[in-house]
């Protein structure tokens, strides 16, 4: 479903990714492991067209290199960034509404999201900026799925979260797997990677060191 070949990425004159190759099949959860600073988040941003890059990023056989981020999203790729990027002055439900690509939900309904994350039901009318870090992570995951992606890139979803919230995130990932959604998961915790992923890539400094 997602094929990345010879991905090079740059921040100004800094060459960050050096020929990254990876593949995510239909309905597969693939984890990208590695320490901070090795380029995992940059790889996600490059796939989404958010940084200067070259190489090939193909989704369902179509090369997306050079496309704008909103075009890549509309092609069927969802993205959950590490910094969450909620709309803090809007309510939880309004944030979910903004995740829709059209007027109506796709395979994922509001009830699905509130069922996976019951805490969001309790906080439905609260401003998103008043949520805890864990609640904001739930909201970002739920908002992304309201766009009905076929593949979702999730960057460090368990970073800094309490064990109970980590368990909720793991359950969410299992729910995606059950529904046949492909996932590229960027993670540091080996336990999460082994629990939910079919395959694991390990990044060194700007390149893959193990698959």
């Amino acid at each position: 479903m997602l094929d990345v070949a010879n991905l090079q990425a740059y921040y100004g004159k800094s060459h960050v990714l050096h020929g990254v190759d990876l593949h995510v099949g239909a309905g597969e959860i693939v984890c990208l492991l590695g320490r901070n600073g090795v380029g995992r988040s940059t790889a996600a941003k490059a796939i989404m067209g958010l940084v200067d890059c070259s190489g090939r990023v193909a989704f369902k056989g179509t090369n997306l290199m050079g496309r704008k981020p909103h075009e890549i999203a509309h092609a069927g790729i969802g993205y959950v960034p590490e910094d969450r990027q909620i709309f803090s002055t809007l309510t939880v439900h309004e944030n979910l509404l903004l995740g829709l690509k059209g007027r109506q939900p796709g395979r994922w309904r509001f009830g699905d999201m509130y069922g996976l994350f019951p805490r969001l039901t309790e906080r439905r009318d609260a401003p998103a900026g008043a949520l805890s870090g864990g609640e904001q992570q739930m909201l970002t995951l739920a908002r992304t799925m309201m766009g009905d992606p076929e593949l979702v890139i999730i960057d460090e979803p368990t970073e800094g979260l309490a064990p109970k919230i980590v368990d909720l995130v793991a359950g969410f990932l299992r729910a995606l797997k059950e529904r046949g959604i492909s996932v590229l998961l960027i993670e540091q915790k080996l336990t999460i990677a082994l629990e939910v992923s079919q395959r694991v890539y390990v990044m060194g400094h700007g390149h893959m060191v193990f698959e």
Side-chain angles (χ1 to χ4, degrees):
M1 176 163 280
L2 177 69
D3 290 286
V4 176
N6 193 31
L7 186 62
Q8 314 278 337
Y10 308 83
Y11 290 118
K13 294 183 179 180
S14 297
H15 192 174
V16 181
L17 298 184
H18 304 271
V20 168
D21 299 314
L22 63 86
H23 169 75
V24 181
E28 187 178 36
I29 298 180
V30 174
C31 189
L32 184 55
L33 285 169
R35 296 185 178 185
N36 285 335
V38 299
R40 295 169 306 138
S41 293
T42 299
K45 291 175 182 177
I47 292 168
M48 293 304 300
L50 294 168
V51 297
D52 185 18
C53 59
S54 64
R56 179 175 171 81
V57 175
F59 181 61
K60 298 194 299 183
T62 299
N63 190 9
L64 300 180
M65 187 58 65
R67 301 273 187 96
K68 295 180 179 179
H70 72 273
E71 294 174 326
I72 294 171
H74 277 279
I77 301 180
Y79 176 48
V80 180
E82 185 179 11
D83 57 359
R84 297 165 188 161
Q85 297 181 4
I86 61 163
F87 297 93
S88 60
T89 61
L90 301 181
T91 68
V92 165
H93 195 72
E94 287 168 341
N95 269 266
L96 294 183
L97 283 169
L98 288 175
L100 295 175
K101 288 181 182 174
R103 290 191 171 187
Q104 298 297 323
R107 287 169 291 181
W108 298 88
R109 305 270 171 174
F110 294 107
D112 295 322
M113 295 298 101
Y114 288 130
L116 284 168
F117 299 117
R119 182 62 177 157
L120 294 184
T121 305
E122 301 171 23
R123 306 284 276 161
R124 174 187 170 116
D125 297 319
L131 303 182
S132 69
E135 291 167 344
Q136 289 183 8
Q137 184 65 76
M138 297 176 206
L139 178 57
T140 308
L141 292 166
R143 185 185 64 196
T144 300
M145 298 317 300
M146 291 303 297
D148 202 20
E150 296 177 70
L151 178 143
V152 59
I153 300 170
I154 307 177
D155 193 355
E156 295 279 12
T158 66
E159 180 67 21
L161 300 185
K164 277 189 176 181
I165 307 300
V166 172
D167 290 342
L168 272 176
V169 172
F172 169 79
L173 293 169
R174 288 192 291 271
L176 297 189
K177 184 178 178 180
E178 290 170 3
R179 295 214 184 187
I181 306 297
S182 300
V183 178
L184 178 60
L185 173 65
I186 296 170
E187 186 54 80
Q188 287 195 71
K189 295 182 177 67
L190 184 59
T191 52
I192 293 292
L194 295 179
E195 180 182 348
V196 302
S197 303
Q198 281 79 61
R199 291 188 297 110
V200 171
Y201 290 95
V202 179
M203 280 194 73
H205 289 286
H207 62 279
M208 295 300 185
V209 296
F210 176 78
E211 177 186 355

